[in-house]
Amino acid sequence: MRKNVLVITSSLRTNSNSEVLAKQFVKGAEKNNNVELINLKDYEINFCKGCLACQNTGKCVINDEVKDIIDKVKNSEVLVFGTPIYYYSVSGQLKTLLDG
Ligand SMILES: Cc1cc2nc3c(=O)[nH]c(=O)nc-3n(C[C@H](O)[C@H](O)[C@H](O)COP(=O)(O)O)c2cc1C
């Protein structure tokens, strides 16, 4: 059964290693699935303020483009991250998304 697959990459480098790997993944996955690839460098993503308003409202107070990404995540059944490793963790761009 075809699934909606969202691939999120997070390197700022053009033709980066993780982007190349993600595109290879897309090539294979799109044979039997609906696949969308996005790169976080194309979105405005601001830092989490830690206000915790989201715990009461379910929404973030920051008006950036994370809401567009969340819509895509909600519409997907499989989520794939392609990221450089920076000091044993994901890139700052991906960490900022996950915090928000
Ligand atoms: C600031 C910095 C920190 C890094 N830290 C790690 C690390 O902790 N472990 C690791 O295996 N590679 C580390 N690397 C190497 C990158 O993960 C590696 O070059 C990766 O392929 C870069 O991904 P990209 O080509 O998609 O941008 C680091 C690179 C940079 C620039």
Side-chain angles (χ1 to χ4, degrees):
M1 196 180 77
R2 292 182 80 84
K3 291 195 170 169
N4 293 335
V5 180
L6 178 65
V7 183
I8 300 179
T9 61
S10 66
S11 178
L12 298 183
R13 298 186 326 116
T14 305
N15 295 323
S16 74
N17 297 322
S18 51
E19 187 88 16
V20 168
L21 285 170
K23 284 181 177 164
Q24 283 301 115
F25 172 85
V26 169
K27 255 191 195 173
E30 68 188 359
K31 288 177 191 151
N32 296 307
N33 300 281
N34 311 316
V35 186
E36 183 178 11
L37 183 146
I38 63 171
N39 190 309
L40 296 185
K41 70 182 172 205
D42 299 324
Y43 292 83
E44 182 197 351
I45 303 174
N46 295 320
F47 293 117
C48 173
K49 299 169 192 269
C51 68
L52 298 181
C54 57
Q55 289 195 352
N56 296 319
T57 64
K59 286 189 179 157
C60 183
V61 296
I62 301 170
N63 188 23
D64 57 13
E65 293 178 325
V66 168
K67 56 187 175 316
D68 301 335
I69 299 172
I70 289 173
D71 286 345
K72 290 178 187 294
V73 170
K74 283 183 179 167
N75 191 41
S76 68
E77 294 153 297
V78 178
L79 192 54
V80 177
F81 294 110
T83 181
I85 298 298
Y86 289 161
Y87 300 110
Y88 305 99
S89 188
V90 299
S91 69
Q93 289 73 20
L94 182 54
K95 180 68 167 63
T96 304
L97 174 72
L98 297 174
D99 288 349

